[in-house]
Amino acid sequence: MISRKVNNVQEALDGIQDGQTIMLGGFGLCGIPENSIAELVTKNVTNLICISNNAGVDDFGLGLLLQKRQIKKMISSYVGENAEFERQMLSGELDVELTPQGTLAEKCRAAQAGIPAFFTPAGYGTEVAEGKETREFNGKMHVMELAYKADFSIVKAWKGDEAGNLIFKGTARNFNACMAGAAKITIAEVEELVPAGTLNPNEIHIPGIMVNRIFQGEKFEKRIEQKTVRQK
């Protein structure tokens, strides 16, 4: 059994350089690789192109990288919770590529599966389709979308083993699962790292062959974007 375990986040993120394209899993603040993002801030890598469903909030998640101007381009589907993101986008400091959420997920999944491109009806007739090939299927127009090409994919899982097998919990499965194996190197940050053979094979969401490095994170905050409580 090949072990993909590394000792810490520093070893896991070894090789990430300025100007690279990085996928980061998570949905809102759910299931984001907190330790890895913090290490990217510490490494002070710059001019990054980040592919993520959203950009965190001002003082957490990818918002920390935005604060230090480490991101030059964001490829996202939803960016409504981050005031600094909005300011940089409107001022022209940050290049932004807004993508329909389903298309973003499929562009990751296509990269994961080795599919170079696909057709989708989403975005036809809008700015999303400008400059892209279009084709009619069954009487409906579709837009050709290219799979993403990323240097690193950083995902967060609830549990993993030393062979790289991953189990996600709840909403964290949304983008983490399709980003695993979708880049040249996939890094998995997990809450609990167990010996190979410990996990029930029927419960594994991503097989270890999709993961290159895995480590156990620590001190997860698991923040909530918009906390809503019932009035008594």
Side-chain angles (χ1 to χ4, degrees):
M1 184 72 69
I2 298 175
S3 175
R4 292 171 170 82
K5 176 186 175 182
V6 295
N7 294 318
N8 49 49
V9 64
Q10 291 80 18
E11 189 175 337
L13 269 58
D14 181 55
I16 293 183
Q17 301 175 358
D18 294 351
Q20 290 187 322
T21 299
I22 303 177
M23 292 180 172
L24 295 115
F27 190 74
L29 295 182
C30 175
I32 65 171
E34 298 177 28
N35 289 258
S36 297
I37 292 173
E39 178 61 19
L40 288 173
V41 173
T42 300
K43 286 172 68 70
N44 200 32
V45 285
T46 60
N47 293 317
L48 297 175
I49 299 173
C50 292
I51 301 169
S52 180
N53 178 63
N54 62 311
V57 293
D58 288 312
D59 62 344
F60 194 63
L62 290 181
L64 297 173
L65 293 172
L66 287 169
Q67 283 182 350
K68 293 187 64 178
R69 309 296 193 277
Q70 291 176 255
I71 300 175
K72 73 172 181 179
K73 181 177 182 178
M74 277 295 310
I75 301 173
S76 302
S77 69
Y78 176 71
V79 294
E81 304 292 341
N82 194 315
E84 177 61 19
F85 183 105
E86 179 183 14
R87 191 198 66 75
Q88 290 187 29
M89 180 176 70
L90 294 177
S91 67
E93 298 174 45
L94 179 68
D95 187 7
V96 178
E97 183 179 314
L98 292 176
T99 305
Q101 193 168 77
T103 301
L104 191 149
E106 186 63 14
K107 283 163 76 76
C108 294
R109 195 198 67 83
Q112 181 190 65
I115 298 171
F118 60 91
F119 282 92
T120 174
Y124 177 76
T126 73
E127 292 182 4
V128 171
E130 289 182 3
K132 298 176 182 176
E133 180 181 339
T134 59
R135 192 178 299 183
E136 182 178 338
F137 293 94
N138 302 318
K140 189 172 185 177
M141 294 303 297
H142 292 67
V143 181
M144 188 176 79
E145 296 283 359
L146 300 177
Y148 287 132
K149 293 182 179 179
D151 298 292
F152 286 86
S153 175
I154 306 176
V155 302
K156 156 73 175 3
W158 170 54
K159 189 178 291 188
D161 67 18
E162 294 177 357
N165 298 302
L166 304 177
I167 298 175
F168 304 105
K169 179 181 283 188
T171 312
R173 190 174 176 183
N174 283 13
F175 283 91
N176 282 301
C178 62
M179 287 183 174
K184 294 176 183 176
I185 296 175
T186 293
I187 300 164
E189 172 179 323
V190 300
E191 292 182 41
E192 183 179 355
L193 184 60
V194 300
T198 303
L199 301 179
N200 182 342
N202 296 307
E203 297 177 353
I204 291 171
H205 296 132
I206 290 294
I209 196 169
M210 298 284 198
V211 176
N212 301 96
R213 306 171 189 170
I214 187 169
F215 73 98
Q216 183 165 317
E218 56 184 18
K219 299 178 181 178
F220 291 100
E221 292 187 45
K222 299 185 180 180
R223 291 198 199 176
I224 298 173
E225 284 176 280
Q226 297 289 346
K227 184 180 292 185
T228 303
V229 295
R230 184 176 61 186
Q231 297 296 322
K232 291 184 178 179

